[in-house]
Amino acid sequence: LRETGLIALGDKGYHGYDTTGHVITPCKGRNKPESQKDANRAHARLRAPGERANAQLKTWRILRKLRCCPRRAGRLAKAIHVLQNYEITAG
């Protein structure tokens, strides 16, 4: 991430993993000030679409025991995404 200049949003399990600031995690602990609660809510809103997409991909059995080139896996994931969107809009 550092080399490409990208920033990732991690969950609380990644807290302290990256000291360079390229993995942003929500604030931990109880009785947080309102500003930290707001920051955590914003963090969750940004992560939610990716979490939903991963959950949808996991429901497709073809990806469970995939034994092919990683490039083909990416193409399969894109095809699944298209089918999933079609199913949602048509249903």
Side-chain angles (χ1 to χ4, degrees):
L1 293 172
R2 189 178 321 121
E3 292 173 9
T4 60
L6 295 174
I7 295 173
L9 297 174
D11 60 15
K12 290 180 184 178
Y14 288 95
H15 189 75
Y17 173 76
D18 180 38
T19 58
T20 61
H22 287 86
V23 178
I24 299 172
T25 58
C27 301
K28 282 184 160 185
R30 294 185 176 150
N31 302 323
K32 292 183 282 295
E34 197 61 35
S35 60
Q36 286 183 349
K37 290 179 183 178
D38 290 340
N40 282 358
R41 282 188 211 103
H43 187 271
R45 276 194 301 272
L46 290 171
R47 278 180 45 93
E51 293 292 331
R52 277 193 299 274
N54 284 333
Q56 287 176 347
L57 284 173
K58 287 179 183 180
T59 65
W60 288 75
R61 290 184 180 192
I62 193 169
L63 295 177
R64 290 190 186 155
K65 292 185 179 180
L66 196 61
R67 293 181 179 94
C68 67
C69 172
R71 288 187 193 150
R72 290 189 69 198
R75 290 181 189 150
L76 276 171
K78 287 179 186 178
I80 290 169
H81 178 69
V82 169
L83 291 172
Q84 190 78 33
N85 283 342
Y86 177 76
E87 183 179 72
I88 290 169
T89 58

